[in-house]
Amino acid sequence: MISQKFYLAKTLNASQVNWDAFKHNELTDIHVEVIRMTSILEYSSLPSAVSMLNQTGDDIDLRSFIFKWAYDEQKHAFILKEYSDRFLQEPSSLIGSYEEVSVNFSESKMNIAETMALHMCTEITVSRWYRKMAAWHTEPLIKQIYNSMANDEASHAGAFKSFLSKYLNDENKKGVLAIFQLFLSKNNFISLKVSSTTDIEKQSIYSRLPNPNLFDHMIDNIIKFDDSDRKNLQSTILKIATNLCGHEMKTPLELKQYRKSL
């Protein structure tokens, strides 16, 4: 049985956001653009959560966590929207933006273990992005919000890892390692926030954003997710792969070679 701590853990509470902490003079135009983009990306995660419910079968623990995960992601989106509506000159059209970037996840050919691996790597990645975003922002309220969101994403990653350890077996191990290999091979580490589980390489939310170039600019030049950050993320994914498979893999090449041996 999977511990309930992952989906009962304390997370960002919308009713406890201290809106009075906002300081307008600490917010610039580029801060505003990034906040709106993040809100859209968080909101667009709903289809992936809904599609995963179709894979849970009668696993009540897993279904409970997926509902909690979906709730957290939508809560993030609407807290960011509330921030936008309260403090930005042009309130974000969240629903309209979502309709423009949404992709269809219902035809995914991935099995449940592969889907978990993809989400786990994504949540690990996004939690680190949000830490860097919180450090970059100077406005105190949004710094607090991004740090809380980072905690949520890290908790989700822990839950996916725990469930993945339950579902991993000899039949699906090679496919799971293929997901890890995909993350390790990408310059910015693919995030489900910007990728579709139906066609990871070709169909992306990222490509449908109002300003796709802003995402790359944010990662590389704004929050400066650099080589050191990527190496640390890579090391984390390799350690998880090692623990799950019981086979030491210190480099992406070692993971690739082990996968080929299966």
Side-chain angles (χ1 to χ4, degrees):
M1 181 177 177
I2 302 298
S3 171
Q4 293 183 346
K5 68 179 181 179
F6 295 113
Y7 52 86
L8 295 180
K10 182 179 180 181
T11 57
L12 178 61
N13 189 328
S15 66
Q16 295 178 354
V17 173
N18 181 17
W19 300 109
D20 292 336
F22 175 76
K23 293 184 178 180
H24 189 274
N25 61 344
E26 296 291 342
L27 203 62
T28 67
D29 289 343
I30 189 62
H31 288 130
V32 170
E33 284 191 68
V34 171
I35 292 167
R36 285 175 174 156
M37 180 181 67
T38 307
S39 180
I40 294 170
L41 292 174
E42 284 288 335
Y43 194 77
S44 66
S45 67
L46 181 59
S48 63
V50 172
S51 68
M52 195 171 179
L53 286 172
N54 297 327
Q55 296 180 295
T56 58
D58 58 358
D59 190 332
I60 301 301
D61 281 345
L62 179 56
R63 289 185 67 84
S64 297
F65 164 65
I66 297 303
F67 278 117
K68 175 65 168 61
W69 172 50
Y71 169 76
D72 285 346
E73 300 296 335
Q74 299 313 295
K75 179 176 58 177
H76 295 169
F78 282 103
I79 285 178
L80 289 172
K81 182 180 184 299
E82 179 69 14
Y83 184 98
S84 173
D85 290 346
R86 284 173 179 259
F87 306 123
L88 307 186
Q89 291 183 351
E90 297 178 6
S92 61
S93 177
L94 186 60
I95 303 300
S97 298
Y98 165 71
E99 294 297 336
E100 292 175 7
V101 303
S102 179
V103 296
N104 183 7
F105 288 81
S106 63
E107 298 178 358
S108 172
K109 297 179 181 179
M110 301 171 70
N111 61 48
I112 184 66
E114 292 168 351
T115 303
M116 287 180 186
L118 183 62
H119 288 307
M120 181 190 69
C121 290
T122 295
E123 299 296 293
I124 293 171
T125 306
V126 174
S127 69
R128 297 183 183 206
W129 285 347
Y130 285 167
R131 294 278 183 226
K132 302 271 292 189
M133 290 172 71
W136 165 67
H137 277 283
T138 55
E139 198 285 300
L141 177 56
I142 200 64
K143 287 172 74 72
Q144 172 195 339
I145 290 172
Y146 274 122
N147 274 320
S148 296
M149 287 167 58
N151 290 338
D152 284 359
E153 306 292 12
S155 177
H156 301 157
F160 278 119
K161 178 185 176 183
S162 186
F163 281 108
L164 183 56
S165 67
K166 172 184 175 181
Y167 278 82
L168 189 69
N169 56 45
D170 291 340
E171 286 71 33
N172 60 36
K173 184 183 293 185
K174 192 169 185 177
V176 167
L177 288 173
I179 300 299
F180 289 151
Q181 187 176 331
L182 178 64
F183 267 79
L184 295 171
S185 68
K186 292 298 178 180
N187 184 42
N188 281 333
F189 301 94
I190 287 183
S191 163
L192 191 61
K193 297 291 189 299
V194 293
S195 297
S196 164
T197 54
T198 59
D199 190 342
I200 295 173
E201 297 289 351
K202 298 178 181 179
Q203 181 171 273
S204 69
I205 294 169
Y206 158 79
S207 65
R208 303 184 186 195
L209 287 170
N211 182 5
N213 291 332
L214 176 60
F215 185 86
D216 287 333
H217 178 62
M218 179 192 75
I219 297 299
D220 295 332
N221 303 312
I222 293 179
I223 67 172
K224 300 185 188 302
F225 199 83
D226 57 22
D227 288 342
S228 176
D229 294 308
R230 293 185 176 96
K231 287 179 181 178
N232 287 335
L233 180 55
Q234 186 179 81
S235 176
T236 297
I237 293 174
L238 287 167
K239 286 179 181 178
I240 292 173
T242 293
N243 291 337
L244 287 171
C245 297
H247 180 90
E248 189 172 35
M249 293 167 273
K250 294 183 177 180
T251 67
L253 179 59
E254 289 182 0
L255 185 147
K256 181 179 180 180
Q257 290 173 337
Y258 176 61
R259 176 175 172 267
K260 285 186 174 181
S261 72
L262 296 176

